[in-house]
Amino acid sequence: MNNDNCVFCRIANGEIPAHFVYNDDDVMAILDINPVAKGHMLVIPKYHAKYYHELPEKYAKKIATTLLLVTKALEAENYNILQNNGKLAGQEVPHVHFHVIPKPSKDEGLGIRFPSKQETSEALTELAKEIKEKIDKLL
Ligand code: AMP
Ligand code: ZN
């Protein structure tokens, strides 16, 4: 792992202890040290990138299968999967990680606000076209 100043790279290297629930060559899942609710876990690729979109596809795929594993093991009726990108979006540790956060009651777990806005059908059509063109270039 390639960043000596990164807490998750250091955990992956065995330099800092953590409570592992899953570990392989490409990904690890650990308990969050300051859980929002009991069972709060982090799924972390063993690749130092700040943003999700910077990950090689191999790691994105491994994260997906690991999220399936840990959420099955969690056996929670209600839970959130959260992944923050960038400081403004709430990212504190600049190494990609997915939070798996049980929501055992209204007051425990994540409090989510969805400040939705109205948008015209024409504006959505135009935006979908723009994004689709960019996706087509990436394929
Ligand atoms: P974020 O705000 O999405 O960057 O979340 C960072 C998360 O990493 C927080 O929930 C922290 O509690 C958690 N965290 C930071 N250091 C450690 C650590 N050494 N072991 C486990 N979790 C950690
Ligand atoms: Zn790192």
Side-chain angles (χ1 to χ4, degrees):
M1 296 288 295
N2 42 3
N3 192 322
D4 290 345
N5 299 317
C6 170
V7 64
F8 293 159
C9 283
R10 296 193 68 198
I11 289 172
N13 288 338
E15 295 161 19
I16 295 179
H19 298 94
F20 284 83
V21 298
Y22 180 78
N23 197 16
D24 69 24
D25 288 346
D26 305 320
V27 69
M28 60 188 182
I30 61 172
L31 295 182
D32 195 293
I33 202 167
N34 291 126
V36 170
K38 185 180 175 190
H40 180 173
M41 293 180 275
L42 301 173
V43 172
I44 307 168
K46 291 188 177 176
Y47 180 94
H48 185 83
K50 176 177 176 183
Y51 292 105
Y52 176 73
H53 66 264
E54 293 174 342
L55 282 180
E57 197 168 319
K58 166 183 144 177
Y59 291 95
K61 286 180 173 166
K62 281 300 291 274
I63 288 170
T65 51
T66 308
L67 282 170
L68 253 189
L69 263 182
V70 302
T71 51
K72 282 178 181 170
L74 191 63
E75 295 180 338
E77 196 178 338
N78 301 282
Y79 64 93
N80 296 98
I81 297 175
L82 173 73
Q83 199 265 319
N84 300 322
N85 293 277
K87 214 168 177 52
L88 202 58
Q91 186 176 23
E92 282 172 15
V93 177
H95 177 135
V96 175
H97 53 282
F98 280 70
H99 296 262
V100 175
I101 308 175
K103 181 74 180 164
S105 70
K106 198 167 172 288
D107 297 328
E108 296 167 283
L110 213 58
I112 297 187
R113 221 167 42 91
F114 257 79
S116 314
K117 295 186 190 74
Q118 290 239 314
E119 193 51 280
T120 64
S121 176
E122 291 75 21
L124 292 174
T125 301
E126 184 55 34
L127 183 58
K129 187 171 164 277
E130 258 175 51
I131 297 171
K132 187 177 176 304
E133 278 169 9
K134 286 182 187 161
I135 288 174
D136 287 344
K137 280 186 195 148
L138 290 169
L139 293 173

